Amino acid sequence: MTPRVPIAQLVQRIHFEDFGGAEFERLVFAYHVRAGWREVEWYGQTGSDQGRDIVGECADDVGNFRRAVIQCVNRGSLTQAKAKMDIDKALSFDPSIASFKFVTRGTVSAARRNAIKAFSDKCGVNHLTIWSGADFEENLRLIGEDLLRRFCMGEAFPDGAEKLRSFADDFPSLGDEESLAQMAAVFDRPAFRTPFFRECSLHAFQQAVEDTIAALNTGLWRTREGEDIRRIPSVHHLRNPVAKRHVTRAIQLVDELRRTFVSGLRDGTIKPCGCGNPSCTIFMVEPSMGERLDRIRSDALQTFHSAWPGFAVALE
């Protein structure tokens, strides 16, 4: 039975300043493993980080991965001089870096964020993320409450990167049945339950399909506006090779659904009304294209059903 933790320990603001730099880096590393980053390496522990405490591959909105650097700033504030130095050092080591992320325990003003963003743009870093301590804590509570609880209760994290990666790769005790049940929730939306000719918004349909691909691939389930809903198991957590193969095929079919939809917009078999409003409910679709989209979608649902028979596949 999991011991009960005093509510105050989990609700009150976390005082990251009470912990050392190594502990803070361990927590940042563990979070990003938990968040579905791939090939995550921790350089800060070696004492020669070259402006890159952590390096890994993060997913974009459609599930494609890009190389990224994370710099942990266990200080009261992120100064512009510190940010510039870290970006310069990282780029001098690897000029191809196009994504950079700062995770700090302090606050970061809008003016400071803008100044650092202007510098990163000038250096060719196309993707910059800056998390204050509050931002980091909020994201930890979303998908890593257990990591945060362990951190706050003083229970030591593993020292080595490999042990820490194994520890943080979440859902270690979740069986495939439970994992598949959680993954199935991403299909519980109109884009997968309503015949295409009854779809209300072309924009919403495409966004839902792209969000579903990302969720099944990475475990990051987001709203249409890009806000994280929660962390779920991804296809990579499945142990049964047959179930994993079926889910992988289902993801491929959902991607085929996306590509077919985009193709329809290009060749005119799917036409928006022309008003310019992306949320407009009026559009035209050739019957053969609507049938094709419904068929691909049905195949995707049926394939997921093959992985988990408890999954319902019927359209409305």
Side-chain angles (χ1 to χ4, degrees), residues 29-277:
F29 179 93
Y31 168 83
H32 287 87
V33 171
R34 175 67 56 87
W37 282 43
R38 302 190 313 193
E39 306 296 328
V40 187
E41 300 293 339
W42 179 19
Y43 289 92
Q45 63 172 334
T46 67
S48 179
D49 58 26
Q50 295 173 310
R52 51 194 184 115
D53 287 332
I54 299 167
V55 176
E57 295 181 355
C58 60
D60 61 19
D61 291 339
V62 295
N64 297 318
F65 284 82
R66 62 172 180 263
R67 199 72 173 159
V69 167
I70 304 170
Q71 192 67 11
C72 306
V73 185
N74 190 29
R75 302 181 179 184
S77 64
L78 172 62
T79 66
Q80 189 168 352
K82 163 70 173 169
K84 286 183 176 181
M85 180 182 68
D86 287 339
I87 292 174
D88 280 338
K89 284 173 63 178
L91 289 175
S92 66
F93 178 79
D94 183 358
S96 68
I97 292 171
S99 184
F100 210 99
K101 183 174 187 176
F102 289 98
V103 181
T104 176
R105 67 171 168 84
T107 59
V108 186
S109 68
R112 180 63 47 77
R113 291 174 189 265
N114 291 338
I116 296 172
K117 179 66 168 62
F119 179 77
S120 69
D121 288 343
K122 182 180 179 181
C123 293
V125 177
N126 300 322
H127 304 277
L128 176 72
T129 303
I130 300 175
W131 278 0
S132 66
D135 295 326
F136 184 33
E137 181 180 339
E138 180 180 350
N139 281 277
L140 273 165
R141 293 191 188 281
L142 181 67
I143 66 170
E145 188 79 39
D146 59 315
L147 301 177
L148 188 58
R149 180 165 56 245
R150 179 167 179 161
F151 182 79
C152 292
M153 293 181 69
E155 189 174 349
F157 280 58
D159 286 329
E162 286 303 318
K163 290 182 179 179
L164 187 54
R165 183 182 293 106
S166 177
F167 161 75
D169 190 12
D170 60 345
F171 312 112
S173 62
L174 208 62
D176 282 355
E177 183 79 9
E178 296 170 292
S179 294
L180 288 163
Q182 291 193 35
M183 294 168 71
V186 303
F187 290 110
D188 188 17
R189 56 207 315 172
F192 288 95
R193 296 301 183 186
T194 304
F196 188 74
F197 74 88
R198 289 170 51 191
E199 179 61 47
C200 294
S201 167
L202 297 181
H203 174 74
F205 176 83
Q206 182 174 357
Q207 188 66 57
V209 171
E210 292 176 350
D211 289 346
T212 300
I213 295 170
L216 295 174
N217 268 324
T218 70
L220 295 178
W221 187 10
R222 294 185 172 97
T223 66
R224 188 185 307 171
E225 292 73 27
E227 298 294 327
D228 289 338
I229 296 175
R230 62 185 174 92
R231 176 83 162 122
I232 62 172
S234 73
V235 62
H236 309 292
H237 288 95
L238 299 176
R239 299 178 178 86
N240 185 304
V242 176
K244 193 169 188 175
R245 185 170 65 249
H246 284 310
V247 174
T248 299
R249 178 55 184 157
I251 295 170
Q252 292 171 344
L253 286 165
V254 176
D255 185 57
E256 182 181 346
L257 178 68
R258 178 188 64 80
R259 288 184 284 108
T260 301
F261 174 79
V262 172
S263 176
L265 291 175
R266 288 174 180 165
D267 64 22
T269 52
I270 303 173
K271 292 182 180 179
C273 78
C275 70
N277 179 5

